[in-house]
Amino acid sequence: MSLLVVGSVAFDAIETPFGKTDKIIGGAATYISLASSYFTKKVNLVAVVGGDFPKTDIAMLQKHGVDTTGLQVKENEKSFFWSGRYHNDMNSRDTLVTELNVLGTFDPIVPEAYQSCQYLMLGNLAPSVQSTVIERMAKRPKLIVMDTMNFWMDIAMDDLKKTLSMVDVLSINDEEARQLSGDYSLVKAAKKIMAMGPKVLIIKKGEHGALLFNHEQVFFAPALPLEEVYDPTGAGDTFAGGFIGYLAHTNDISFDNMKRAIIYGSAMASFCVEKFGCERITNLHKKELEARVQEFVDLVQFEITLEA
Ligand code: AMP
């Protein structure tokens, strides 16, 4: 099934305890498109960049089968720029710079050829732009998944609540879930957030895995214990790309299949953090992915005999 991905395509500058990068390509939609391209060859991108964005990187996305007809290039403007510094634990980071540039006036045009997409992934972006994309789809997609971050909660909470009321699945991290709900308990937070619209909620907990909620059930996927984590940037988006890519590939949106999808998402994310930026997920083999999913299975599988 075809997938429409919307989100930032960006320049990032990253500092981790392992090193520092100058401007490298990043952005939520970049990570999502790349990750989902390992599952479906029908990835369609709606995003915007400035004239400073390298054509070679657009070609790299195309090489992964990503349709970039919906990628607007504003020749006389600058691409979105984000810079962040990770703390020693690698689970928390400070945003140093957010320059919206082209994103500040982004009008998301959905090409005619994308109108039949059945899966829609709203990557991190202004919530008003995310809801505009939903409104511009001739037919509501079968599944709408959304990601967001604290930045938008701070400056656009009303817009965010409107978008939340229109989506099926929300994917956020634990800190964001607490900020959005005002509750410290993630179980209470999940109930409050699902009352805002999404029927399914994913709460990512970095190296501590991810929780998948619907109104009746909870499922937990671990993160793979890795020896080296170089750069967690984009791990959440890569996770989301693996999640929705797997769902689009299998065309099954049951809760049981979502459990498998968050394992695939977690496996994709475990590759992302192994190198800076999106380098690792641009060079991945399907066999490596399957082997890693097997590692997840081995990690959590055990036999137990319960006494009466
Ligand atoms: P993650 O590490 O999964 O939270 O995603 C990091 C990516 O999100 C980076 O590549 C940034 O370019 C992008 N990003 C950071 N802040 C924003 C924002 N306010 N809006 C859209 N994308 C953002």
Side-chain angles (χ1 to χ4, degrees):
M1 289 292 137
S2 53
L3 166 66
L4 171 52
V5 176
V6 187
S8 53
V9 171
F11 282 128
D12 290 345
I14 305 157
E15 278 180 47
T16 82
F18 294 99
K20 207 174 156 173
T21 67
D22 281 331
K23 283 187 175 178
I24 57 173
I25 74 146
T30 308
Y31 286 99
I32 295 166
S33 302
L34 286 170
S36 55
S37 75
Y38 289 91
F39 299 89
T40 167
K41 284 295 156 214
K42 293 176 189 161
V43 181
N44 302 294
L45 176 65
V46 166
V48 62
V49 290
D52 53 355
F53 198 78
K55 304 278 176 287
T56 46
D57 288 314
I58 299 177
M60 181 277 289
L61 288 169
Q62 291 164 344
K63 205 180 118 231
H64 278 82
V66 179
D67 186 324
T68 59
T69 314
L71 176 66
Q72 301 171 32
V73 182
K74 303 272 178 199
E75 286 301 342
N76 300 321
E77 294 176 48
K78 282 166 72 180
S79 301
F80 173 75
F81 173 62
W82 175 82
S83 166
R85 183 190 293 134
Y86 288 85
H87 300 177
N88 279 341
D89 67 2
M90 294 291 247
N91 264 338
S92 47
R93 72 180 176 206
D94 296 322
T95 289
L96 304 177
V97 183
T98 299
E99 285 175 14
L100 290 177
N101 299 327
V102 283
L103 267 196
T105 53
F106 181 35
D107 180 26
I109 295 160
V110 182
E112 191 52 41
Y114 293 4
Q115 285 291 343
S116 56
C117 284
Q118 286 188 288
Y119 288 79
L120 171 58
M121 178 69 225
L122 300 169
N124 195 3
L125 204 61
S128 58
V129 176
Q130 293 175 315
S131 59
T132 301
V133 172
I134 303 176
E135 283 157 2
R136 288 185 178 171
M137 296 295 289
K139 189 165 163 261
R140 192 187 193 278
K142 180 171 170 177
L143 188 80
I144 306 178
V145 181
M146 167 187 179
D147 195 348
T148 189
M149 74 185 298
N150 49 3
F151 180 83
W152 303 111
M153 292 174 198
D154 293 339
I155 67 167
M157 193 53 128
D158 288 344
D159 289 342
L160 181 60
K161 287 198 170 154
K162 177 186 165 198
T163 313
L164 272 175
S165 72
M166 300 165 82
V167 305
D168 301 304
V169 182
L170 173 70
S171 171
I172 47 175
N173 70 30
D174 45 359
E175 209 181 297
E176 291 155 355
R178 289 182 173 121
Q179 181 171 347
L180 183 58
S181 63
D183 258 304
Y184 189 82
S185 151
L186 293 179
V187 177
K188 281 189 184 161
K191 281 189 186 153
K192 276 199 187 163
I193 295 169
M194 286 189 286
M196 296 177 191
K199 295 179 282 294
V200 174
L201 173 68
I202 299 169
I203 301 183
K204 297 165 287 182
K205 290 154 58 73
E207 65 171 327
H208 304 297
L211 292 162
L212 173 73
F213 293 90
N214 70 6
H215 287 288
E216 294 84 35
Q217 303 165 72
V218 194
F219 176 72
F220 170 70
L224 206 63
L226 294 170
E227 233 175 277
E228 315 267 26
V229 172
Y230 278 98
D231 171 21
T233 308
D237 306 311
T238 303
F239 172 94
F243 174 77
I244 198 156
Y246 181 78
L247 293 178
H249 167 64
T250 51
N251 194 22
D252 172 357
I253 57 170
S254 65
F255 193 73
D256 274 343
N257 203 44
M258 286 189 186
K259 292 180 186 176
R260 287 184 279 275
I262 72 165
I263 298 291
Y264 272 95
S266 304
M268 285 300 307
S270 74
F271 286 111
C272 176
V273 302
E274 286 180 348
K275 291 202 171 155
F276 271 97
C278 50
E279 188 185 341
R280 184 66 178 100
I281 56 160
T282 54
N283 292 298
L284 198 62
H285 293 284
K286 202 74 208 259
K287 276 197 176 149
E288 293 177 289
L289 176 61
E290 294 299 327
R292 195 147 287 188
V293 169
Q294 185 60 49
E295 284 187 57
F296 274 83
V297 174
D298 296 342
L299 184 67
V300 291
Q301 206 168 41
F302 59 91
E303 281 175 25
I304 193 162
T305 310
L306 294 173
E307 292 170 21

